[in-house]
Amino acid sequence: MPPPSTLAQLPVGSSALIQSLPTGRVGLTRLRELGLTPGVKVLVVRRAPLGEPLEIRVRGSNIAMRNHEAADIVITPVEA
């Protein structure tokens, strides 16, 4: 199994399992409320032309986030 990386490094069309998110940051707390929790599978749907925001699909919903938020989310890549 490949070593964990961050959601910001995951290429478009790839899936991953969330391993951890830091606590205490308002933006990441909101993402947790939207369903980004450890153990959940996410799919990178697309990136805006300049690289951000990043659009992901999690639990049947599409969510956009900035790269600095995605860089704090530790993931393990998985097969789609």
Side-chain angles (χ1 to χ4, degrees):
M1 184 181 295
S5 58
T6 66
L7 188 54
Q9 298 168 328
L10 199 62
V12 172
S14 299
S15 295
L17 291 176
I18 296 176
Q19 296 299 311
S20 65
L21 290 89
T23 58
R25 292 195 36 212
V26 176
L28 292 178
T29 298
R30 180 66 181 139
L31 292 174
R32 259 194 294 299
E33 291 169 351
L34 291 170
L36 272 79
T37 56
V40 171
K41 186 175 180 180
V42 297
L43 168 71
V44 176
V45 177
R46 64 182 167 177
R47 291 182 187 274
L50 296 177
E52 70 177 343
L54 166 70
E55 182 181 351
I56 62 168
R57 182 169 299 134
V58 60
R59 298 182 188 228
S61 297
N62 286 11
I63 299 171
M65 68 175 64
R66 299 232 176 248
N67 285 332
H68 72 274
E69 295 167 333
D72 289 333
I73 300 173
V74 178
I75 53 102
T76 301
V78 296
E79 297 281 325

